[in-house]
Amino acid sequence: MTQIFGYHTPHAIVIATDSLALCPDERGGWEKTTVRKIVHVSPSVVMVSGGSGIGLALAHEFAAAVRSQGLWNVEAIFPKALPFARARAPLMHRRSNFAPRPDAEELERYYVLLAGMSLQTDPPSAHWLLMGSESHGAPVERIAMGNVLAIPRHMGFEVRAGRLAGTEGELEAAEKLMEELLRRRAEQTQDAAPPFFFLRIDGKGIQERHLS
């Protein structure tokens, strides 16, 4: 399962994710690989996927559709995301490379996080939207969330990040907390692997850094 951590304030968003992915092998099992799970949709909007490969495929297809229509801002892009995902996901489920695995139902769920800055407000405002499907063939739904996100759920992070005040210094604290958790999971479990990617989305745009 992809590790995604997020922290949202009215004027900025911090997101972190790892690069571990599981792919079917020729023996009917799973093999680990490294996948970039971040898709830049426009200069002000980005997507992060988690779970099965359908999420990442949806993100890439949606980004391509947005670019072909010449869309770039939150107000134009966000309303199109859920209808697009609901229309395209059934087609992807019918592709052979996305066939369900009865022995790994937890690997069939997927999530797509859309995050961006609205430049039509003064000051610019931060927005995010989470979509997902809990099982193979289940419809894509919008998932309610607050100002803290952890996929999979991580109560320790959610509690600690929920105590932050939302200032610029607290954004640094949230990102540091995400980095510590990703490193710990990579060292102690098989649920995460570097490189780790960090996104800072604010009035300056989308900044990205990674750690090996």
Side-chain angles (χ1 to χ4, degrees):
M1 169 60 73
T2 300
Q3 307 292 312
I4 301 177
F5 296 105
Y7 180 68
H8 178 283
T9 76
H11 306 296
I13 297 172
V14 178
I15 301 170
T17 187
D18 73 327
S19 301
L20 176 65
L22 296 178
C23 298
D25 62 24
E26 296 178 353
R27 300 179 300 277
W30 297 91
E31 61 182 359
K32 294 182 180 180
T33 187
T34 298
V35 172
R36 177 180 168 84
K37 304 168 185 178
I38 298 170
V39 179
H40 287 263
V41 181
S42 79
S44 59
V45 178
V46 68
M47 301 180 84
V48 181
S49 70
S52 81
I54 290 180
L56 186 57
L58 280 173
H60 280 292
E61 286 200 5
F62 181 67
V66 165
R67 296 186 194 111
S68 70
Q69 297 174 46
L71 307 178
W72 64 273
N73 61 17
V74 165
E75 287 76 11
I77 294 173
F78 272 51
K80 294 182 176 294
L82 186 57
F84 181 92
R86 285 175 169 168
R88 292 296 300 168
L91 302 178
M92 294 181 176
H93 281 298
R94 291 196 286 271
R95 296 178 184 174
S96 60
N97 57 324
F98 289 130
R101 295 290 300 270
D103 59 333
E105 293 182 0
E106 72 278 4
L107 298 177
E108 300 302 331
R109 61 176 68 104
Y110 58 89
Y111 305 93
V112 180
L113 175 66
L114 195 65
M117 292 297 297
S118 171
L119 304 180
Q120 297 186 12
T121 60
D122 186 17
S125 54
H127 302 265
W128 65 3
L129 180 155
L130 181 64
M131 305 178 292
S133 172
E134 289 297 321
S135 62
H136 184 82
V140 181
E141 301 290 351
R142 181 168 183 170
I143 301 173
M145 57 179 178
N147 69 319
V148 178
L149 172 67
I151 299 175
R153 293 294 302 272
H154 191 294
M155 292 303 296
F157 170 76
E158 294 174 45
V159 170
R160 293 172 67 184
R163 294 172 178 166
L164 301 178
T167 63
E168 184 173 353
E170 299 300 337
L171 293 174
E172 297 290 344
E175 188 169 331
K176 183 178 180 181
L177 178 58
M178 295 174 191
E179 182 177 332
E180 292 173 352
L181 290 173
L182 285 173
R183 288 188 183 277
R184 189 179 309 137
R185 280 192 176 273
E187 293 170 356
Q188 300 177 355
T189 73
Q190 298 183 348
D191 296 333
F196 306 127
F197 289 87
F198 302 87
L199 296 168
R200 175 74 66 90
I201 307 167
D202 56 24
K204 299 176 183 178
I206 301 173
Q207 299 89 46
E208 179 180 321
R209 71 179 180 94
H210 72 274
L211 293 174
S212 300

